[in-house]
Amino acid sequence: MGRSRRTLPEELLLLALDPTTGTTAQPQSLDLGLAGAQLVELALAGRIAPDGDRIAVVAPRPTGDPTLDCALELLRRRGAPVRAVNWIGGPRLGLRQIYLAHLERCGMVHAVAGQMCGVLPTTRYQATDTAISREIRSRLDNAIRTGVPPDPRTAALAALAHAVGLGKHLYPGNEGRSSRSRLRDLIRHDPMGGLVAHAVMDVQNGVAAQPRRSPAPQVGRQATVGARTAPEPARGVPMQPHHGSMARAVAH
């Protein structure tokens, strides 16, 4: 995959980056959202596909993106399809810091050193090209305002933004209530994005959806996201290796 197009994890992180404070909104859930965004990006690239409530590798060849390829290789090593909720909820190094460092290397953000309480060193991040952030936000705004079904990438971005709680950051207050509701409704326009977004919310709620009782669709075909059933304990997944230097601590 070429670098002319931003990946979903990059777009989700830029969407969460506050242009005033240089910090990220919803930092606790954002790592989960970034893990989910990796799955959607791999699905859009044709490397994985939903198999019921599980994720199956259908084409293990590298994408050319080191961080995505790390996730793809870990999925491949599992052998059998893995449940999305278990993958997203598994222990992993902080993807937020990894992607912030990546965006800094790509020149999309720059780090600003500072101090908390005049003592603790902090690092904040400012977008170097605000037009990129405005374009990402505009896609969501258009989908919400027009009601026209968005493209799969924008639908998945909306689903993930809702899942990690960015709705109140993007559309705050009572005046943003209807926009937040429509943002949530966009989840139905992309089956993979919906599957991953529900898994992110399940992990945050401390539950794991049981496998569906209906027969799973064939690998490589889109699956409809069904209703959740009773919870069961989630099993962990291997820790994701670190690629590249870890970004400095981000203050929140």
Side-chain angles (χ1 to χ4, degrees):
M1 85 191 339
R3 293 303 301 146
S4 59
R5 185 170 64 184
R6 297 177 301 273
T7 65
L8 270 175
E10 294 167 2
E11 291 197 329
L12 182 64
L13 184 52
L14 287 171
L15 197 63
L17 192 62
D18 190 305
T20 302
T21 65
T23 61
T24 53
Q26 301 298 324
Q28 302 304 318
S29 57
L30 192 54
D31 272 1
L32 301 176
L34 291 171
Q38 285 185 320
L39 292 180
V40 179
E41 189 64 48
L42 287 171
L44 290 171
R47 302 313 197 266
I48 64 175
D51 183 5
D53 66 346
R54 296 175 183 266
I55 304 299
V57 176
V58 295
R61 66 183 184 279
T63 65
D65 181 298
T67 310
L68 288 176
D69 288 341
C70 174
L72 179 61
E73 175 61 14
L74 288 176
L75 286 167
R76 187 193 65 80
R77 290 178 185 175
R78 294 296 297 268
V82 59
R83 293 181 64 208
V85 69
N86 288 348
W87 173 263
I88 291 171
R92 65 189 69 248
L93 293 175
L95 285 178
R96 182 166 44 98
Q97 283 78 16
I98 291 174
Y99 271 106
L100 279 170
H102 169 72
L103 291 178
E104 184 180 15
R105 289 193 299 271
C106 292
M108 283 192 263
V109 302
H110 70 276
V112 179
Q115 288 184 329
M116 179 184 294
C117 302
V119 178
L120 299 176
T122 63
T123 303
R124 301 176 184 273
Y125 292 85
Q126 300 290 339
T128 56
D129 187 349
T130 56
I132 295 177
S133 298
R134 288 198 301 270
E135 184 272 331
I136 298 170
R137 174 65 181 271
S138 177
R139 282 163 44 208
L140 288 187
D141 290 345
N142 288 339
I144 287 173
R145 184 177 63 254
T146 64
V148 176
D151 62 275
R153 181 174 293 274
T154 301
L157 181 62
L160 289 163
H162 167 70
V164 302
L166 288 183
K168 291 184 178 180
H169 167 70
L170 299 171
Y171 307 104
N174 289 332
E175 64 276 14
R177 183 177 300 172
S178 61
S179 293
R180 294 195 299 270
S181 178
R182 289 193 289 271
L183 180 71
R184 181 193 62 226
D185 291 342
L186 290 175
I187 200 171
R188 70 183 186 273
H189 289 293
D190 179 60
M192 184 66 179
L195 168 64
V196 169
H198 282 305
V200 169
M201 290 185 285
D202 280 338
V203 173
Q204 292 182 85
N205 292 331
V207 299
Q210 287 185 345
R212 294 177 183 77
R213 297 181 183 276
S214 57
Q218 294 180 357
V219 173
R221 299 176 62 183
Q222 287 187 326
T224 301
V225 180
R228 302 187 197 94
T229 53
E232 69 175 14
R235 296 186 294 273
V237 298
M239 180 172 288
Q240 178 161 322
H242 186 308
H243 280 264
S245 59
M246 181 70 74
R248 289 151 292 194
V250 182
H252 299 284

